[in-house]
């Protein structure tokens, strides 16, 4: 880590410490925000689970706690001092920033064995990528609110940082941890395998096919996930009850607490006879992009991972602003495609619009009583629209960059669909 990156990290740590200590009511205020905390990541629900766990009761009995057992084991070892908890979340953000710095330093976003962008000189330096993450208001708010999505994001970024170095086993182990915490990162396994394989030194690829490499990493991922499951079984006193309460909640959506996603209101209005069908449709909708992105963007597996995280931040069952913050931080690695994006002003304006009006509409619905659920759902639709346009526009820009790199004579010319 160079001096500028180190300075950025120290400044970010100081900012977070000031917010935690100078405004003692701010963490609890943000913890209660549905935009930042969901039923599967809420720090308040984690505290309830810890209370039950430390008093010899199963935290998974009441239908309130939906987080991984390892989080219970970890937080019970911490002192009761809230400063220690604050430092844990700050450290997690620092580790995420360090991983981003490693990813940016590798240059994989602009140069892979199959593609080197003609705009590679336009990328941001590693310290600027760290700034884009550490000083993003969404990242700061997520850290202060203390949802457990912070740990999932750290595990995902660690996996990517290991992948760009060709450390495939370490990458899938970190990805297994992310999947254990939040389920949906399992969709990143295929592009992660491609990323790790492409990043191997040429000498290590000799006599090593992609198929055999993928088989080994898939086996390691499966064993790691099974090991985490067995460890969780031991933590919960020999019970598999946690499976339905953690991963089943992601899949079956029993808790319809409002969030920034698309599911909650849709299934509130859904007739019970159609619920199972649309649950399958919504879950498959997340997975359906995987094969197409891996095939079409085979030359850039890191961008496939970035895009899948963007799609997940829109269409997963319990999304939060922390998911979007992770996508935006990875997108900052692709500074060279920003001039090719067509809807930057629209996306920026719409995100600001939704960010400012979301809390207001939620207040009108829940506290003032002068609105209804449509108020808040309408603004979450605006938020999802903005992120959707951003994801699709980034895909367009990357494909345009590939095309212009392969055909330099077409640089700057308009594309006409026939």
């Amino acid at each position: 880590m160079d001096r500028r990156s180190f300075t950025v990290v120290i400044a970010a740590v100081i900012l977070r410490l000031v917010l935690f200590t100078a405004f003692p009511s701010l963490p609890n205020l943000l913890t209660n925000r549905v935009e930042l905390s969901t039923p599967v990541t809420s720090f308040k629900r984690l505290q309830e689970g810890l209370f039950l766990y430390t008093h010899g009761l199963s935290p998974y009995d009441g239908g309130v706690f939906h987080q991984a057992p390892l989080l219970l084991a970890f937080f019970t070892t911490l002192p009761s001092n809230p400063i220690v908890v604050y430092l844990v979340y700050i450290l997690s953000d620092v580790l995420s920033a360090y991983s981003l710095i490693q990813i940016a330093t590798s240059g994989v976003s602009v140069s892979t064995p199959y593609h080197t962008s003609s705009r590679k000189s336009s990328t941001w330096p590693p310290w600027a990528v760290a700034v884009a993450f550490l000083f993003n208001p969404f990242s700061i708010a997520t850290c202060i609110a203390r949802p457990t999505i912070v740990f999932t994001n750290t595990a995902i970024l660690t996996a990517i940082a290991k992948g760009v170095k060709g450390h495939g086993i370490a990458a899938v182990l970190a990805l297994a941890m992310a999947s254990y915490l939040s389920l949906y990162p399992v969709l990143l396994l295929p592009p992660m395998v491609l990323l790790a394989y492409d990043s191997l030194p040429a000498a290590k690829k000799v006599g090593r096919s992609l198929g055999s490499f993928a088989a080994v990493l898939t086996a390691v991922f499966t064993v790691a996930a099974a090991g985490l499951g067995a460890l969780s079984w031991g933590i919960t006193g020999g019970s598999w009850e946690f499976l339905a309460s953690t991963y089943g909640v992601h899949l079956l959506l029993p808790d319809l607490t409002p969030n920034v996603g698309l599911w909650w209101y849709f299934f509130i209005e859904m007739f019970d006879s159609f619920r199972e069908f649309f649950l399958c449709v919504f879950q498959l909708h997340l997975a359906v992009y995987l094969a197409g992105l891996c095939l079409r963007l085979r030359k850039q597996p890191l961008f496939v991972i970035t895009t899948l995280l963007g799609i997940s931040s829109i269409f997963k069952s319990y999304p939060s602003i922390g998911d979007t913050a992770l996508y935006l931080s990875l997108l900052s690695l692709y500074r060279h495609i920003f001039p090719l994006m067509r809807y930057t002003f629209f996306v920026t304006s719409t995100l600001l619009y939704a960010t400012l009006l979301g809390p207001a509409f939620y207040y009108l619905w829940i506290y003032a009583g002068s609105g209804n659920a449509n108020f808040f759902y309408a603004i979450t639709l605006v938020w999802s629209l903005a992120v959707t346009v951003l994801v699709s526009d980034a895909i367009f820009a990357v494909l345009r960059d590939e095309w212009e790199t392969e055909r330099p004579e077409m640089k700057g010319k308009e594309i006409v669909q026939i």
Side-chain angles (χ1 to χ4, degrees), residues 199-398:
S199 301
L200 284 174
K204 291 188 177 181
K205 287 186 180 179
V206 177
R208 201 173 190 181
S209 67
L210 175 59
S212 62
F213 184 77
V216 170
L217 292 193
T218 302
V220 171
F221 178 88
T222 305
V223 171
L228 289 169
L231 187 59
S232 299
W233 177 80
I235 291 172
T236 55
S239 171
W240 294 107
E241 187 181 20
F242 72 92
L243 290 175
S245 296
T246 53
Y247 311 114
V249 169
H250 287 279
L251 298 174
L252 301 178
L253 201 78
D255 193 320
L256 296 175
T257 302
N259 53 67
V260 296
L262 303 173
W263 291 47
W264 64 274
Y265 186 80
F266 188 87
F267 283 94
I268 284 175
E269 302 295 331
M270 177 62 59
F271 290 111
D272 288 342
S273 56
F274 297 106
R275 181 179 173 85
E276 289 79 9
F277 171 75
F278 279 100
L279 278 172
C280 292
V281 170
F282 274 52
Q283 297 289 0
L284 287 174
H285 185 256
L286 267 171
V288 76
Y289 297 98
L290 180 59
L293 287 171
C294 287
L295 290 173
R296 180 60 186 86
L297 295 169
R298 170 64 185 89
K299 298 177 181 179
Q300 302 188 65
L302 176 59
F303 187 73
V304 176
I305 294 173
T306 303
T307 303
L308 286 173
L309 288 171
I311 293 171
S312 178
S313 72
I314 306 166
F315 296 115
K316 66 189 287 189
S317 50
Y318 294 104
S320 69
I321 286 178
D323 297 291
T324 306
L326 175 63
Y327 172 67
L328 293 175
S329 65
L330 285 170
L331 193 62
S332 67
L333 296 166
Y334 291 87
R335 163 65 183 83
H336 60 288
I337 68 165
F338 288 0
L340 298 174
M341 297 175 70
R342 302 163 294 175
Y343 306 116
T344 308
F345 176 76
F346 172 79
V347 169
T348 304
S349 302
T350 309
L351 283 176
L352 287 173
Y353 174 84
T355 301
L356 296 174
L357 286 186
F361 281 16
Y362 186 78
Y363 175 83
L364 290 175
W365 171 31
I366 298 297
Y367 298 104
S370 57
N372 55 34
N374 294 326
F375 275 59
F376 185 67
Y377 190 61
I379 207 65
T380 62
L381 288 177
V382 173
W383 172 270
S384 298
L385 171 66
V387 181
T388 301
V389 173
L390 177 60
V391 171
S392 59
D393 203 21
I395 294 173
F396 167 83
V398 163

Side-chain angles (χ1 to χ4, degrees), residues 41-52:
T41 63
S42 170
F43 183 74
K44 180 180 286 187
R45 296 198 182 208
L46 175 61
Q47 288 178 307
E48 294 181 18
L50 286 170
F51 178 84
L52 294 173

Side-chain angles (χ1 to χ4, degrees), residues 112-228:
T112 71
Y114 306 104
H115 170 74
T116 299
S117 173
S118 59
R119 296 177 171 82
K120 62 181 181 179
S121 60
S122 301
T123 57
W124 278 339
W127 66 267
V129 174
V131 168
F133 169 72
L134 290 172
F135 291 93
N136 183 338
F138 298 149
S139 299
I140 296 172
T142 300
C143 179
I144 303 302
R146 299 161 296 166
T148 52
I149 190 67
V150 170
F151 306 124
T152 304
N153 291 348
T154 300
I156 291 173
L157 290 173
T158 301
I160 298 172
K162 297 299 181 183
V164 299
K165 293 182 178 181
H167 301 160
I169 292 179
V172 295
L173 288 176
L175 188 63
M177 175 57 74
S179 303
Y180 167 79
L181 293 174
S182 193
L183 184 62
Y184 288 109
V186 70
L187 296 173
L188 304 179
L189 181 59
M192 190 67 71
V193 170
L194 295 176
L195 177 65
Y197 182 78
D198 290 351
S199 301
L200 284 174
K204 291 188 177 181
K205 287 186 180 179
V206 177
R208 201 173 190 181
S209 67
L210 175 59
S212 62
F213 184 77
V216 170
L217 292 193
T218 302
V220 171
F221 178 88
T222 305
V223 171
L228 289 169

